[in-house]
Amino acid sequence: MQISRDDKSFSFVLFAPDRAFLAQILSKIITNYSQKPGDMDPRVAAAWYPPGVGEKPEDAEDVELWVEELRVFRSGNAALCRTCLQFLQEAGAEEPVVLQIPLEQSETFMVVLNDHRIYQAALHGIGEHEMDQPWDKVQDLEKRQALLEIHFLAVILETMLHLGMGGV
């Protein structure tokens, strides 16, 4: 994968393995964004939403309204994921594929990728100190997959930050 930036967009040059992996991650993000907090694994809900969500605190109405607004916001972010996923799926066997993310959508793209990192870390009990451990040294296969996704997305996020957000 190669990432570059010009004055209009970020370009991701993707060959088959990276394209398939990114498509798999985008599909997961779309699914995760559609979940309501009460339907999520409690560890993920705790990472994505404020304490007490789903437990009916005294100010349940205010919290539920805020959570629903956040869920709707995330669902809106999923639209970008669907667009990217559709592009990657429709590209067929073409090699390489160049995915373009307009600068005005780059912040949203980074948010959804980071949300997935948080989701995976919470779901698999990966703490900050474990984020940097080599994924291929982890014995648990699900945790290994989660770390691989976290590392893959970290490379994308760090590269985008390094290339600059262009005032976005």
Side-chain angles (χ1 to χ4, degrees), residues 51-57 60:
V53 170
E55 296 174 12
K56 303 290 183 194

Side-chain angles (χ1 to χ4, degrees), residues 126-163:
I126 300 169
E128 188 141 351
H129 64 282
E130 295 173 293
M131 289 274 193
D132 294 328
Q133 74 183 52
W135 61 268
D136 58 340
K137 304 292 185 212
V138 176
Q139 298 302 311
D140 179 275
L141 294 180
E142 287 184 8
K143 195 171 193 176
R144 178 187 293 190
Q145 175 69 22
L147 269 174
L148 180 57
E149 291 178 17
I150 288 167
H151 289 191
F152 180 79
L153 296 177
V155 169
I156 293 173
L157 292 168
E158 289 169 10
T159 303
M160 290 178 75
L161 287 171
H162 176 75
L163 293 172

Side-chain angles (χ1 to χ4, degrees), residues 5-166:
R5 179 191 177 276
D6 61 26
D7 61 337
K8 294 181 183 174
S9 65
F10 282 93
S11 299
F12 298 81
V13 179
L14 302 163
F15 289 90
D18 289 332
R19 179 174 65 191
F21 196 48
L22 183 57
Q24 176 187 13
I25 291 170
L26 291 171
S27 182
K28 287 180 181 181
I29 293 168
I30 293 165
T31 299
N32 296 341
Y33 274 176
S34 70
Q35 292 180 318
K36 292 189 175 184
D39 298 334
M40 291 180 157
D41 182 290
R43 296 170 294 183
V44 175
W48 267 17
Y49 297 100
V53 170
E55 296 174 12
K56 303 290 183 194
E58 289 74 42
D59 59 343
E61 188 175 316
D62 291 339
V63 171
E64 286 180 24
L65 179 61
W66 183 83
V67 167
E68 183 57 22
E69 287 175 3
L70 183 56
R71 195 181 72 73
V72 168
F73 174 77
R74 283 192 169 121
S75 295
N77 288 351
L80 176 59
C81 294
R82 281 190 287 278
T83 300
C84 294
L85 180 59
Q86 181 178 358
F87 173 80
L88 295 175
Q89 291 172 335
E90 290 176 355
E94 182 182 330
E95 289 279 345
V97 169
V98 181
L99 174 66
Q100 301 282 338
I101 303 294
L103 288 183
E104 59 271 7
Q105 294 181 311
S106 61
E107 186 174 348
T108 299
F109 190 67
M110 293 180 73
V111 165
V112 299
L113 298 184
N114 198 54
D115 275 352
H116 187 69
R117 294 178 77 235
I118 293 167
Y119 188 101
Q120 289 297 317
L123 184 63
H124 297 284
I126 300 169
E128 188 141 351
H129 64 282
E130 295 173 293
M131 289 274 193
D132 294 328
Q133 74 183 52
W135 61 268
D136 58 340
K137 304 292 185 212
V138 176
Q139 298 302 311
D140 179 275
L141 294 180
E142 287 184 8
K143 195 171 193 176
R144 178 187 293 190
Q145 175 69 22
L147 269 174
L148 180 57
E149 291 178 17
I150 288 167
H151 289 191
F152 180 79
L153 296 177
V155 169
I156 293 173
L157 292 168
E158 289 169 10
T159 303
M160 290 178 75
L161 287 171
H162 176 75
L163 293 172
M165 294 300 294

